[in-house]
Amino acid sequence: MKIISGLNDETIESLVKAFAGTTNDVVEEIKQEYGLETGNFKNGGVWDIRFRRIKQVALENGLIVLTKRRGIWTFICVLDPGTGILYVFSKEKNLDIVIKKLGRKNIHYFHAFVSLSSGPIDLDYQQISLFPTLTEEYENRRLREAQKILGEDYPLVNDVVFVVAKEEEKKIVGVEAKLFNRYFELLDTQDWSMYVPKDEYSNLFVLEEDTIDNNDTVVIPKIKQEVKDRKHYFDKKIPTKKEEKKDLKEEDHS
């Protein structure tokens, strides 16, 4: 199976740039604008920035944006309506942790999603006995979890591809698309690292020309629109300590 079936190179490039582009400038601007000193909001904030950029690219390229919720953790994934491939975004280290926990009591939504590869299943027709490490009860649980999370979008998903970022020194240096079977055995992988931005957004400002006296041209700094869009980040309801703890736990595994 071709992972990129249905996606052209331009779309892949735009998705990778949206995912892998730096978030540091926007986060720093938020800290300065609101007088924040600790930066404790950063973990959730950077994913908000990434998801917003991914959503914009997906909509511009005719893809379906699925905004889903697990507990209090809200995330975005992208569905290609032509192929039924669901693209899920994660960091490599977090995906590795989740894979190691397959079959345990707690079912991460990655465990639920990967069970949909080769199409939503009917457990009555599965030969689960071939995989004794995963019980029928476990398979039923993660199937129900997938149905619960995806809701009416569940029948549209045929396969799940994880778009995985490799990070070094808190900077994304590579991105791969990975296709697993329902037991997290790797079936196919493609390296999309060529699309990771080389010259990331290094400045908070873009330059805008303004003419004075119709003769002299003066360059005036202007705040990026991306930064302006973050102005209302903290207008949302402030979570309780219990909710914040659960949110961070979900994010750490995403």
Side-chain angles (χ1 to χ4, degrees), residues 94-105:
N94 294 331
L95 178 60
D96 289 344
I97 292 172
V98 172
I99 291 176
K100 291 177 181 178
K101 295 181 179 180
L102 178 66
R104 298 185 185 179
K105 181 178 179 181

Side-chain angles (χ1 to χ4, degrees), residues 76-237:
I76 282 177
C77 42
V78 175
L79 178 65
D80 182 348
T83 62
I85 297 176
L86 182 69
Y87 294 91
V88 180
F89 300 83
S90 175
K91 291 184 180 179
E92 183 180 52
K93 62 179 182 180
N94 294 331
L95 178 60
D96 289 344
I97 292 172
V98 172
I99 291 176
K100 291 177 181 178
K101 295 181 179 180
L102 178 66
R104 298 185 185 179
K105 181 178 179 181
N106 293 328
I107 296 179
H108 191 278
Y109 66 92
F110 287 180
H111 298 151
F113 281 175
V114 79
S115 70
L116 302 182
S117 289
S118 299
I121 64 169
D122 185 337
L123 287 175
D124 291 338
Y125 297 95
Q126 298 303 302
Q127 300 181 34
I128 298 176
S129 60
L130 296 177
F131 303 92
T133 57
L134 299 180
T135 66
E136 183 173 358
E137 187 273 337
Y138 179 85
E139 291 288 18
N140 274 287
R141 285 179 56 218
R142 66 171 176 162
L143 174 59
R144 288 195 298 269
E145 190 66 26
Q147 292 173 327
K148 178 181 177 181
I149 296 173
L150 292 173
E152 62 183 11
D153 300 308
Y154 170 76
L156 304 178
V157 179
N158 294 325
D159 287 285
V160 177
V161 167
F162 289 85
V163 182
V164 184
K166 182 178 181 180
E167 198 173 42
E168 294 179 1
E169 297 180 352
K170 297 184 178 182
K171 178 180 178 181
I172 295 176
V173 297
V175 173
E176 289 184 329
K178 296 187 176 185
L179 175 68
F180 300 93
N181 65 15
R182 57 187 295 100
Y183 306 101
F184 266 122
E185 297 169 330
L186 187 62
L187 300 178
D188 193 10
T189 183
Q190 289 188 350
D191 190 352
W192 291 354
S193 299
M194 68 182 77
Y195 300 122
V196 173
K198 297 296 188 297
D199 298 319
E200 296 184 338
Y201 314 120
S202 57
N203 299 309
L204 284 173
F205 301 100
V206 292
L207 298 179
E208 181 179 81
E209 290 187 350
D210 191 16
T211 302
I212 298 180
D213 296 333
N214 296 320
N215 292 316
D216 299 326
T217 299
V218 179
V219 177
I220 302 174
K222 179 183 177 183
I223 297 290
K224 283 184 177 182
Q225 185 62 42
E226 183 180 44
V227 174
K228 290 181 178 180
D229 291 342
R230 304 304 300 168
K231 184 175 181 181
H232 301 294
Y233 177 84
F234 289 97
D235 291 346
K236 296 180 288 186
K237 174 181 176 292

Side-chain angles (χ1 to χ4, degrees), residues 5 17 25 55 105 121 126:
S5 176
K17 287 182 176 180
D25 290 348
K55 177 179 180 179
K105 181 178 179 181
I121 64 169
Q126 298 303 302

Side-chain angles (χ1 to χ4, degrees), residues 13-36:
E13 180 177 4
S14 296
L15 285 173
V16 171
K17 287 182 176 180
F19 181 34
T22 184
T23 59
N24 292 338
D25 290 348
V26 180
V27 169
E28 186 60 31
E29 177 64 16
I30 292 172
K31 287 178 62 178
Q32 294 179 8
E33 183 172 351
Y34 289 91
L36 305 175

